[in-house]
């Protein structure tokens, strides 16, 4: 035991010194936030889980909105293409037919 006591540099401070050092370290850890009660940890984890769930719900809602927007854009694009084709066809008909003559009742 004497060899062990000689190896440990803090053996001469005694049991009270070792216990006091442990209490001081625990207080230091509590004050600096390195050590926290289990209830506080559980509350923080539950809050983070709730926040993650809310973010998942928002992500899914945004994804549904994006899908709806893509579908609406596709249908409007088709309508625009059809309208453009109709206008081009009317323009072609208007430019290819001869103008009406003076006595023509068309």
């Amino acid at each position: 035991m004497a060899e062990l006591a000689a190896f440990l540099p803090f053996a001469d401070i005694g049991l009270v010194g070792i216990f006091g050092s442990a209490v001081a370290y625990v207080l230091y850890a509590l004050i600096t936030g390195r050590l926290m009660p289990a209830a506080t940890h559980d509350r923080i984890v539950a809050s983070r889980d709730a926040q993650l769930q809310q973010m998942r719900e928002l992500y899914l809602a945004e994804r549904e909105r994006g899908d709806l927007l893509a579908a609406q854009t596709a249908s409007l694009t088709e309508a625009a293409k059809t309208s453009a084709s109709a206008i081009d066809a009317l323009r072609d008909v208007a430019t290819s037919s001869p103008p009406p003559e003076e006595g023509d009742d068309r």
Side-chain angles (χ1 to χ4, degrees), residues 25-95:
Y25 177 74
V26 168
L27 287 175
Y28 170 76
L30 280 172
I31 290 170
T32 58
R34 290 184 172 93
L35 183 66
M36 67 176 68
T40 304
H41 179 266
D42 292 342
R43 185 171 31 94
I44 291 171
V45 169
S47 172
R48 187 169 294 160
D49 288 345
Q51 187 178 17
L52 284 172
Q53 182 62 29
Q54 182 183 15
M55 292 299 290
R56 283 186 190 109
E57 291 170 2
L58 289 173
Y59 170 74
L60 291 175
E62 185 65 25
R63 192 164 180 182
E64 287 178 18
R65 187 192 68 81
D67 291 344
L68 178 62
L69 183 64
Q72 288 175 345
T73 303
S75 67
L76 290 174
T77 303
E78 288 300 318
K81 286 179 184 177
T82 304
S83 298
S85 298
I87 290 172
D88 288 342
L90 288 174
R91 185 180 308 128
D92 290 343
V93 168
T95 57

